[in-house]
Amino acid sequence: MAASIDPLVVGRVIGDVVDMYVPSVTMNVYFGSKHVTNGCDIKPSIASNPPRVTISGHPHQLYTLVMTDPDAPSPSEPSMREWVHWIVTDIPGGTGPTQGNLSCFFLII
């Protein structure tokens, strides 16, 4: 049986954008009814609306969620890397980013 390799390693997100890490909480992301996992392709029609995100953890601990594009504007020409779309801070564990503070917002058109 072949070993499974994390799609974030294959895609060079881990090792290029962030260092290797061990998750301390679980995060779930949904676009509509579609559960998004590492390496999952999403059609633009699904991603036109904000995702629903839940973060496990203790309610008295605060988390930060960062949405970046590590290979903007394209994987073959990552000239603007790393592009930050938004950052949400102070998210209580067991909730989602709607309970946090939107720190910045950048829009790519």
Side-chain angles (χ1 to χ4, degrees), residues 25-108:
V25 297
T26 302
M27 180 176 73
N28 289 295
V29 179
Y30 296 88
F31 279 98
S33 62
K34 182 174 179 71
H35 183 234
V36 179
T37 58
N38 294 341
C40 181
D41 288 330
I42 300 175
K43 294 180 180 181
S45 60
I46 294 174
S48 63
N49 292 313
R52 181 172 50 90
V53 179
T54 60
I55 301 170
S56 69
H58 195 275
H60 298 294
Q61 291 181 325
L62 301 176
Y63 299 90
T64 299
L65 180 62
V66 180
M67 170 59 173
T68 67
D69 184 348
D71 53 11
S74 73
S76 61
E77 289 292 328
S79 60
M80 296 174 14
R81 55 188 307 183
E82 166 179 0
W83 189 266
V84 176
H85 290 280
W86 43 259
I87 300 172
V88 181
T89 60
D90 300 330
I91 304 167
T95 67
T98 57
Q99 303 300 311
N101 298 310
L102 184 63
S103 298
C104 65
F105 180 78
F106 297 95
L107 179 63
I108 296 178

